[in-house]
Amino acid sequence: MMKTYRKHLQMASPLKVCIVGSGNWGSAIARIIGSNAQALQRFATTVKMWVFEENVNGRNLTDIINTDHENVKYLPGYRLPDNVVAVPQLQDAAEGADLLVFVVPHQFIRKLCDEMVGCVSSQARGITLIKGIDEGPEGLKLISDIIREKMAIDVSVLMGANIANEVAAEKFCETTIGSKIMENGLLFKELLQTPNFRITVVDDADTVELCGALKNIVAVGAGFCDGLRCGDNTKAAVIRLGLMEMIAFAKLFSKDGVVSSATFLESCGVADLITTCYGGRNRRVAEAFAKTGKTIEVLEQEMLNGQKLQGPATSAEVYHILKQKGLVDKFPLFVAVYQICFEGKPVQEMISCLQSHPEHL
């Protein structure tokens, strides 16, 4: 009886939250999590946020956040709740966490998971807001799979039409949580939902995650067209043909061969694709690439204030996976974006790709 009672007490204690990452999107989501953790008894009031330590105007970024409650580098002008505590050491931030919110550039996830092993319980649950995929030895690797395998925890995914500054400004938007265990998806919905951040939970987690990664490639193509001054009709073609390739890719690479078409009508699908092709950093940098002829790396440094660009890197990973599978010819838009970014193809090839794109994939 005593064991059962203790177990009940343990389950009933407030859930500790750790946010792994503190960039533009991480800081925007920290505003929501901090406010909800203060208001809802289910969650521990203090929210730890791992911050990669940087020097900003002679001060440590963690000190600025903990004293002034603002991430002046990545989300200037928006106050973070006082209960969000910036922690420079990842293990200290993650120690004892029940809920882990991953929001870092996808190329760093393996190293960070390795650092956290041992300080996080297998009973913990995670959610990834990371938009990208990984090219493993066997081909496609989802970021959620990397976290699951390295940390032995269940991982949900959140993807949607969520430009970070608009979320921080509390402008209404929708988003999608995909979860293999619906109970966990609903728990994260409770942590993250607000009247202006409306969440739908679906059980097609892999497709939700693929949408979040692949739409950034399409946005780069849309940015090229903007830089070439092609107009809205052309951009609409990029969006439609890009969506076709996203669906075809998801069907080819889904683990069980089942992809729900309805998932593409959620915020993670068509809505995120549209907003990213009209706003967002991938479109903006790609437009500058077409206009200036500077490299993606140079533009990333000049335009993004330390943020990382996901679209070109994801196009490279997708290209290598397609090449490995002998499927390069089936995805002309994805391949054109890769070749323009990394192989010196003229940016005008974007239009040639649209002109010759097959009607059906």
Side-chain angles (χ1 to χ4, degrees):
M1 184 68 182
M2 184 60 74
K3 277 187 180 176
T4 309
Y5 179 64
R6 278 193 187 137
K7 187 177 178 188
H8 175 72
L9 272 180
Q10 187 182 1
M11 288 172 68
S13 61
L15 298 167
K16 296 177 184 174
V17 182
C18 169
I19 304 169
V20 181
S22 58
N24 186 232
W25 186 209
S27 297
I29 214 71
R31 281 170 51 83
I32 290 175
I33 291 174
S35 296
N36 283 352
Q38 283 177 323
L40 302 171
Q41 290 185 339
R42 189 166 190 185
F43 307 105
T45 304
T46 299
V47 174
K48 292 183 181 178
M49 178 171 73
W50 173 65
V51 175
F52 179 77
E53 192 68 281
E54 298 178 65
N55 189 286
V56 181
N57 300 324
R59 297 171 68 193
N60 284 343
L61 183 55
T62 52
D63 292 338
I64 295 170
I65 291 171
N66 290 332
T67 305
D68 304 340
H69 304 290
E70 180 184 354
N71 188 335
V72 294
K73 179 159 187 182
Y74 296 111
L75 193 69
Y78 294 99
R79 184 178 174 83
L80 295 170
D82 294 0
N83 60 317
V84 174
V85 178
V87 180
Q89 296 299 326
L90 179 58
Q91 290 190 348
D92 293 343
E95 186 73 45
D98 300 296
L99 302 176
L100 294 155
V101 180
F102 295 90
V103 55
V104 292
H106 78 277
Q107 48 267 51
F108 302 135
I109 194 63
R110 288 179 183 274
K111 178 177 176 290
L112 296 176
C113 285
D114 287 340
E115 283 186 41
M116 279 186 283
V117 169
C119 65
V120 175
S121 153
S122 61
Q123 302 305 307
R125 286 158 281 191
I127 189 166
T128 170
L129 282 62
I130 300 169
K131 294 181 173 177
I133 57 175
D134 196 71
E135 178 199 344
E138 319 84 35
L140 175 71
K141 196 86 169 171
L142 297 174
I143 302 303
S144 61
D145 285 336
I146 294 170
I147 301 169
R148 277 186 204 102
E149 289 170 15
K150 285 188 170 288
M151 301 190 66
I153 62 173
D154 181 65
V155 184
S156 301
V157 298
L158 182 147
M159 306 284 155
N162 309 141
I163 290 174
N165 285 60
E166 294 183 15
V167 173
E170 298 179 29
K171 295 180 178 178
F172 178 83
C173 68
E174 299 177 309
T175 198
T176 311
I177 288 178
S179 195
K180 295 178 187 296
I181 300 173
M182 286 298 281
E183 178 191 345
N184 292 344
L186 293 168
L187 174 60
F188 280 110
K189 176 177 179 174
E190 192 178 341
L191 176 67
L192 292 162
Q193 182 160 265
T194 74
N196 285 322
F197 193 65
R198 183 167 171 259
I199 298 173
T200 302
V201 183
V202 301
D203 60 3
D204 191 7
D206 291 351
T207 305
V208 171
E209 187 167 0
L210 277 174
C211 283
L214 298 174
K215 57 92 191 183
N216 281 330
I217 305 177
V218 185
V220 173
F224 290 156
C225 290
D226 286 344
L228 294 169
R229 294 190 169 87
C230 294
D232 285 338
N233 293 341
T234 307
K235 197 192 294 198
V238 170
I239 292 170
R240 187 186 77 82
L241 296 169
L243 181 59
M244 282 173 60
E245 293 195 15
M246 286 169 60
I247 294 169
F249 191 93
K251 285 180 177 173
L252 273 171
F253 291 94
S254 69
K255 295 185 191 76
D256 50 14
V258 178
V259 171
S260 171
S261 300
T263 305
F264 291 94
L265 297 178
E266 296 290 349
S267 181
C268 62
V270 67
D272 196 9
L273 180 60
I274 291 167
T275 199
T276 311
C277 287
Y278 279 90
R281 66 187 81 156
N282 289 283
R283 187 218 62 80
R284 197 157 43 93
V285 171
E287 180 182 20
F289 177 94
K291 285 180 174 177
T292 66
K294 294 179 180 178
T295 66
I296 293 290
E297 291 79 11
V298 167
L299 290 167
E300 186 179 64
Q301 289 170 358
E302 288 181 358
M303 298 175 68
L304 297 185
N305 190 34
Q307 295 176 68
K308 292 295 178 187
L309 204 60
Q310 300 297 335
T314 305
S315 79
E317 280 147 356
V318 164
Y319 177 79
H320 294 139
I321 290 164
L322 292 173
K323 194 171 181 185
Q324 190 181 24
K325 303 282 188 186
L327 294 169
V328 167
D329 294 342
K330 301 282 187 187
F331 294 86
L333 191 148
F334 287 174
V335 170
V337 168
Y338 164 75
Q339 290 176 332
I340 292 165
C341 288
F342 296 105
E343 292 190 345
K345 271 209 170 186
V347 73
Q348 290 79 7
E349 287 291 315
M350 199 66 229
I351 308 306
S352 306
C353 148
L354 302 177
Q355 290 168 338
S356 59
H357 203 285
E359 289 182 29
H360 303 286
L361 292 176

